Amino acid sequence: MVHKAVIPVAGLGTRLLPLTKALPKEMLPIGDKPVIEHTIRELVESGIDEITIVTSSRKELVQRHFAPDADLERQLREAGKEELAAAVAELSSLAHITYLYQNGPYGNGTPVLNAARVIGDEPFMVLWADDVFVAEVPRARQLKAAYEATGAPVLALMPMAVEDASRYGVPVVEEDLGGGRLRISGLLEKPRPEEAPSRYAAIGGYVVTPGVIDELEAATRRRRERPEGEIYLTDALHRHAAAGNPVYGQVIDGTWWDTGSPLNYLRAQFAAALAHPAYGPELRKLAMES
């Protein structure tokens, strides 16, 4: 079973500068919640409430968002704003959240390895807080079910147009098991369209196992000999699969919004606003009038 999750948030968010100079990209609003809150609520809805956030000194606003604030709750209740007070109180009890400071070389494998050394010898989920999924069954629950069925590492996949292959890690599909589940034998990072081994993109979502963590540890040792090297989770998954270990992809049933670039962030904002039960109808009317 997967009981724990890791959310790396130490990145600089350079694609969204200058917006993210002071405001962490994980705290940018999508609808009426910051992106990272969507991610944590998705995990909780999927039965995972032990969450490690790997952060940096620049991201204190993330911790403040989920910290208890008794003074604010009291002021809201004294003003008769019980609903708002309850919403503030809920944030600090959504999940059991611990924080680690990222320490180590560049690359998205580093925060995963930092967390694994604390979590110990068990599988855990990794989600990035610049992805929002809208789905009847949360993405995290789909990944969890795939792990429970296979007992092996799982990557979240989405279909892609082949001309977009150079933007993603693209899996080498060994076998289609049905139900969106694929056995994969490797990953090709950002291939040219004519070299793409499949029409699926590896996107933000993984269940990693101790074997994958061993590959990250090995990458760290190799980097001591070549300091210019970077440590990536997809490389570790590729090496794990290429060594003959089972690795699976789960095609996620839902809509994916990547908020990590300005255009995609605006698209996610518009989609969330239009889907909001309170604001959506008025915004649709406004769109029709303009």
Side-chain angles (χ1 to χ4, degrees):
M1 292 285 289
V2 179
H3 301 285
K4 299 177 181 179
V6 172
I7 305 175
V9 304
L12 296 176
T14 52
R15 290 189 296 166
L16 287 163
L17 286 171
L19 180 60
T20 51
K21 180 178 181 291
L23 180 65
K25 66 177 182 177
E26 297 82 8
M27 290 300 297
L28 293 173
I30 297 294
D32 54 0
K33 300 178 182 67
V35 180
I36 193 168
E37 186 180 332
H38 286 280
T39 304
I40 287 178
R41 288 183 181 277
E42 176 188 351
L43 287 166
V44 171
E45 288 172 17
S46 303
I48 299 172
D49 66 353
E50 293 187 49
I51 299 168
T52 300
I53 295 178
V54 185
T55 186
S56 75
S57 59
R58 295 172 176 267
K59 302 294 181 84
E60 65 173 17
L61 285 178
V62 172
Q63 296 186 45
R64 286 174 57 188
H65 183 69
F66 296 105
D69 194 334
D71 287 342
L72 177 58
E73 290 176 42
R74 177 182 52 78
Q75 290 176 39
L76 290 169
R77 289 196 171 96
E78 289 175 354
K81 299 178 180 180
E82 289 291 336
E83 189 173 339
L84 288 177
V88 169
E90 184 202 18
L91 286 172
S92 61
S93 59
L94 271 177
H96 305 290
I97 302 174
T98 56
Y99 298 89
L100 291 176
Y101 283 101
Q102 181 166 319
N103 183 21
Y106 182 78
N108 64 23
T110 293
V112 177
L113 187 53
N114 290 163
R117 289 168 176 164
V118 174
I119 290 172
D121 193 27
E122 63 178 285
F124 58 88
M125 192 168 294
V126 180
L127 300 183
W128 270 269
D130 51 10
D131 295 314
V132 175
F133 276 82
V134 179
E136 288 189 17
V137 178
R139 161 194 50 166
R141 193 183 302 170
Q142 294 180 52
L143 288 171
K144 187 177 176 184
Y147 172 77
E148 290 169 356
T150 63
V154 182
L155 298 79
L157 302 177
M158 291 287 276
M160 67 166 187
V162 70
E163 58 267 24
D164 292 334
S166 60
R167 298 168 52 197
Y168 302 107
V170 180
V172 180
V173 176
E174 181 112 342
E175 183 182 4
D176 188 335
L177 303 173
R181 195 163 300 152
L182 309 171
R183 169 78 181 262
I184 67 175
S185 58
L187 282 163
L188 199 57
E189 189 64 29
K190 298 181 178 179
R192 292 184 295 182
E194 62 272 19
E195 296 173 345
S198 70
R199 296 204 173 189
Y200 295 101
I203 53 176
Y206 309 85
V207 176
V208 299
T209 60
V212 176
I213 300 306
D214 288 344
E215 292 291 351
L216 288 174
E217 292 280 15
T220 303
R221 291 192 294 272
R222 287 192 298 271
R223 191 184 181 279
R224 294 191 188 109
E225 301 170 6
R226 297 179 55 201
E228 73 280 3
E230 298 169 357
I231 296 175
Y232 287 100
L233 180 56
T234 49
D235 290 343
L237 285 158
H238 170 76
R239 288 177 178 272
H240 191 69
N245 298 296
V247 175
Y248 294 87
Q250 180 63 47
V251 181
I252 301 301
D253 185 10
T255 301
W256 170 47
W257 298 107
D258 169 16
T259 67
S261 68
L263 180 58
N264 286 334
Y265 172 64
L266 290 172
R267 285 173 172 162
Q269 267 286 44
F270 288 152
L274 292 172
H276 195 284
Y279 313 136
E282 288 298 317
L283 289 170
R284 282 191 288 272
K285 282 198 291 184
L286 180 64
M288 292 177 65
E289 291 168 3
S290 60

